[in-house]
Amino acid sequence: MPVSVGAIDKTEPKGAQAIHRAMGLLAVVGRNNTHGIRLKELAAQTGLHVATAHRLLNALAWNGMVIFDGFSKRYYLGVQVHALIDATRYGGIQPRLASLMETLARRMAAVIYAYLPLMNDIISIKRVGSKDTVLHDTGIGDGVRYPLGIGAAGVAILATMPPEQARAIAASNSERYADYHTSTSAVLQAVRNARQAGYGLNQGVIHNTFGIGTVIRNSRGEVSAAISAVYSVEALGERRLQKMAGILLREVKAFEPLEFPSA
């Protein structure tokens, strides 16, 4: 039953113009969220001066409402927008993943990242490292967004899809892959490797890191989220890779299923 909040006061408070402009920018970012949007395009679509748009976007980014991808120079909806959706629709996935991520960080001596699939992308929602983990500056924080196929978790998600679907998504992301100095063919080869190995790998594509990734499924076998363990490139030899991948897969299997409440 709707809750009455009374009549809306239409008297604009001080600073209302900045709020209106910021909301306009946020709306345009949302409409272009699949592939992101550059500053000049945002300014043109909102009728704002580039400097004004940039200043407001910085404020939105500071508050987690948008994120700026330094590789592609594009803006996307930020982690706080997705956190609001998560809290209202999914009941909050981050607390549910905390125990699994803490266990993995301790057992694997890695930085553990959790991601949600979002159309043709993945978005980082949580990062955990144990007291024994060397926390390298990977550049991956909450709300950072990547095209599917970039990073171990993104490769792992594509590997669960039928080949024709994975190829279509990779093709749609092809221009964005160039921002990460890789290609559609390299991504699809990583996906084929992941299908054979049972887990995804990132070898230096993101900030000179080495990642091992897998998906987390619900009781129907659908992908709910993805998780990756990240190291510096030089930290993993082949024997240790196999051992760490085994730990990751066993812990995730024991943790599943990951269910969301009905919307």
Side-chain angles (χ1 to χ4, degrees):
M1 178 178 177
V3 178
S4 175
V5 295
I8 297 173
D9 183 355
K10 295 184 179 180
T11 303
E12 289 197 350
K14 186 178 180 180
Q17 184 184 58
I19 294 172
H20 291 322
R21 288 174 170 178
M23 291 303 97
L25 285 166
L26 192 60
V28 175
V29 172
R31 289 196 295 270
N32 292 274
N33 203 44
T34 300
H35 300 295
I37 184 168
R38 296 178 187 270
L39 174 60
K40 286 186 178 180
E41 297 172 81
L42 274 166
Q45 290 191 34
T46 56
L48 297 174
H49 189 279
V50 171
T52 301
H54 187 251
R55 184 174 67 253
L56 292 169
L57 286 163
N58 281 344
L60 288 169
W62 182 262
N63 287 279
M65 302 305 290
V66 300
I67 55 173
F68 177 68
D69 182 350
F71 284 97
S72 65
K73 310 299 183 186
R74 295 174 184 271
Y75 288 89
Y76 298 88
L77 291 178
V79 67
Q80 290 303 324
V81 175
H82 298 291
L84 289 170
I85 296 169
D86 181 32
T88 57
R89 184 175 181 185
Y90 301 124
I93 189 175
Q94 292 170 320
R96 299 174 185 216
L97 291 170
S99 61
L100 171 64
M101 296 177 72
E102 288 165 5
T103 298
L104 288 171
R106 184 180 66 253
R107 293 198 62 197
M108 299 180 72
V111 185
I112 308 300
Y113 293 90
Y115 297 87
L116 289 180
L118 187 67
M119 294 177 285
N120 289 353
D121 292 13
I122 56 171
I123 185 167
S124 171
I125 61 167
K126 190 173 180 64
R127 164 180 169 163
V128 172
S130 75
K131 63 180 182 179
D132 300 319
T133 304
V134 177
L135 287 172
H136 299 279
D137 182 12
T138 61
I140 309 170
D142 290 353
V144 174
R145 182 171 174 157
Y146 297 105
L148 274 174
I150 296 298
V155 169
I157 291 173
L158 281 182
T160 68
M161 298 177 181
E164 60 275 13
Q165 183 182 3
R167 286 194 296 269
I169 290 175
S172 71
N173 283 336
S174 59
E175 290 186 9
R176 299 168 67 200
Y177 291 154
D179 296 326
Y180 300 87
H181 308 289
T182 190
S183 64
T184 302
S185 60
V187 167
L188 291 174
Q189 182 59 58
V191 170
R192 288 190 289 271
N193 294 342
R195 291 192 182 110
Q196 294 179 349
Y199 52 84
L201 290 179
N202 162 56
Q203 296 174 281
V205 174
I206 299 179
H207 299 285
N208 202 35
T209 59
F210 194 112
I212 312 168
T214 190
V215 300
I216 306 175
R217 298 178 183 270
N218 62 23
S219 59
R220 299 179 299 280
E222 300 162 341
V223 174
S224 293
I227 202 160
S228 66
V230 175
Y231 303 84
S232 60
V233 167
E234 66 273 9
L236 280 185
E238 183 62 30
R239 291 181 63 183
R240 189 173 182 220
L241 166 62
Q242 296 300 325
K243 180 180 179 180
M244 295 301 107
I247 292 172
L248 176 66
L249 295 176
R250 287 192 296 272
E251 290 291 343
V252 168
K253 191 69 175 177
F255 173 82
E256 291 175 329
L258 175 62
E259 304 289 358
F260 294 130
S262 299

